[in-house]
Amino acid sequence: MLDDRDRRLLAWLQRDADMPLSDLAERVHLSPSACSRRVARLKEEGYIRRSVAVLDRDKMQVPTTVFVMIKMAQHKADWPDRFRESLSDIAEIVEAHRLAGSLDYLLKIVVGNMAHYDTVYKRIISRIELLDVSSCISMETLKDDPALPTAYA
Amino acid sequence: MLDDRDRRLLAWLQRDADMPLSDLAERVHLSPSACSRRVARLKEEGYIRRSVAVLDRDKMQVPTTVFVMIKMAQHKADWPDRFRESLSDIAEIVEAHRLAGSLDYLLKIVVGNMAHYDTVYKRIISRIELLDVSSCISMETLKDDPALPTAYA
DNA sequence: TGTGAAACTATTCCGTT
DNA sequence: AACGGAATAGTTTCACA
């Protein structure tokens, strides 16, 4: 399905999607026209979903990451829906995962400071009955690269 | 520093950085040239760091997310360096955070399946002495949007 | 800032391997 | 089936109002 060139293209595009096609072509030893066709095909076939701008966390004044682990109190049957709703309403929640094992959720939240986090926290707990919430504050981000492994990076 | 238009521009570019400037300009009620100048300024001033292609996790055959919580056994003084080294060596580790409180780390790992995860796990523990490692497998990703809150989305 | 022209970049076509 | 080169189409940037 994907050959070496495709993988190398994808690896580059994950690092820099703004690169001129001529540069990209050079890096994979292809002509610009052939390169254009391949990228179009990778989009068409769904390997490339979209391109997004990566903003600076400090500049945007949301330098702080908090991970929240949640245990649900499943009293009412409608909580999964209300939970999903909260996720889309609250912009500070950038990731939400349902974990294996017990009915646990892990959220990744992006905020400006702890006061900001507190407002988000209150918004979450006001909407759903939670059994247990523990917050883990990130003191230092050692790595944060959205690039997926391509095996030919 | 940032006005409403800048924020709206950034919100759009976080969703779709491929959009032609003419479209982007329309959405914020600006001419293409003025829009071009603003985007250039936002890059220059460091608000926009780069643009990246977002790939499909299933198509790329890395559908599984695992979170790993680590407690260090700090016997040797060089472990922080070796730990950092491992992070850059192992492409499957997409995020690594040092958490507040005890000396704990949280990793986000992206793999094809559990056998793949096991190889990554072994690579990590072979390099550094860890006191405790607990893995949380994501069963379902409810939300995963790299967009930061801009307050004017 | 907006308009329009110029420069640049990307895509499509076509002949070739 | 996929490539490279040339022609075309589209996008961005610049000069100027």
Side-chain angles (χ1 to χ4, degrees):
Chain A
M1 256 212 140
L2 289 178
D3 65 15
D4 276 29
R5 274 225 183 80
D6 291 324
R7 274 183 235 277
R8 269 162 39 216
L9 275 173
L10 292 172
W12 281 112
L13 289 173
Q14 284 193 107
R15 288 181 238 181
D16 181 6
D18 268 345
M19 193 177 346
L21 217 45
S22 52
D23 291 15
L24 193 61
E26 255 183 48
R27 289 176 214 263
V28 298
H29 305 292
L30 219 60
S31 71
S33 64
C35 194
S36 167
R37 280 189 296 260
R38 279 180 110 106
V39 174
R41 205 201 73 219
L42 291 168
K43 282 181 188 167
E44 186 112 13
E45 291 177 354
Y47 292 95
I48 300 171
R49 287 245 272 221
R50 56 180 177 148
S51 293
V52 298
V54 177
L55 307 188
D56 187 281
R57 292 277 298 267
D58 293 322
K59 278 280 189 181
M60 294 307 291
Q61 298 186 285
V62 282
T64 306
T65 304
V66 182
F67 292 93
V68 181
M69 302 204 68
I70 290 173
K71 253 199 181 74
M72 288 289 177
Q74 327 170 39
H75 291 141
K76 293 180 183 169
D78 68 335
W79 69 261
D81 295 330
R82 288 196 298 154
F83 189 53
R84 276 178 183 277
E85 233 176 82
S86 307
L87 296 179
S88 49
D89 284 0
I90 302 174
E92 287 88 348
I93 301 173
V94 294
E95 278 186 56
H97 301 264
R98 182 165 60 81
L99 301 180
S102 51
L103 275 171
D104 279 328
Y105 290 84
L106 177 64
L107 311 183
K108 181 184 170 188
I109 295 180
V110 152
V111 289
N113 50 50
M114 281 304 130
H116 185 184
Y117 173 63
D118 199 47
T119 65
V120 175
Y121 174 81
K122 281 175 181 156
R123 268 207 280 169
I124 297 171
I125 60 170
S126 72
R127 288 165 185 234
I128 30 179
E129 272 179 279
L130 308 171
L131 201 64
D132 189 60
V133 182
S134 49
S135 309
C136 303
I137 298 143
S138 169
M139 294 304 284
E140 185 186 5
T141 301
L142 301 164
K143 185 174 186 176
D144 188 5
D145 189 339
L148 303 178
T150 53
Y152 288 87
Chain B
M1 262 214 136
L2 290 177
D3 65 17
D4 275 29
R5 273 223 184 83
D6 292 324
R7 273 182 235 277
R8 270 163 36 217
L9 276 172
L10 292 172
W12 281 111
L13 290 173
Q14 284 194 105
R15 287 182 240 180
D16 181 5
D18 267 345
M19 193 177 345
L21 274 174
S22 51
D23 292 15
L24 193 61
E26 256 184 46
R27 289 174 214 260
V28 298
H29 306 293
L30 218 60
S31 71
S33 65
C35 195
S36 165
R37 282 190 290 260
R38 270 187 192 246
V39 174
R41 205 202 74 218
L42 292 167
K43 281 181 186 167
E44 187 111 13
E45 290 177 353
Y47 291 95
I48 299 169
R49 289 243 273 219
R50 56 182 177 144
S51 293
V52 298
V54 178
L55 307 188
D56 188 280
R57 292 276 299 266
D58 293 321
K59 278 281 189 180
M60 294 307 292
Q61 298 186 284
V62 282
T64 307
T65 305
V66 182
F67 291 93
V68 181
M69 303 204 66
I70 290 174
K71 255 199 181 72
M72 287 291 176
Q74 326 171 41
H75 291 140
K76 292 179 185 171
D78 68 335
W79 68 262
D81 295 330
R82 288 196 298 156
F83 189 53
R84 277 179 182 275
E85 234 174 82
S86 307
L87 297 179
S88 50
D89 284 359
I90 302 174
E92 288 87 349
I93 302 173
V94 294
E95 279 186 54
H97 301 264
R98 182 165 59 81
L99 302 179
S102 54
L103 275 171
D104 279 329
Y105 289 84
L106 177 64
L107 311 183
K108 182 184 170 187
I109 294 181
V110 153
V111 290
N113 50 49
M114 281 304 131
H116 185 185
Y117 174 62
D118 199 46
T119 65
V120 175
Y121 174 81
K122 281 175 180 155
R123 268 206 281 167
I124 296 171
I125 60 169
S126 72
R127 287 166 186 233
I128 29 179
E129 274 178 276
L130 308 170
L131 201 64
D132 190 62
V133 182
S134 49
S135 309
C136 303
I137 298 142
S138 169
M139 294 304 284
E140 185 188 6
T141 300
L142 302 165
K143 185 174 187 177
D144 188 4
D145 189 340
L148 303 179
T150 52
Y152 288 86

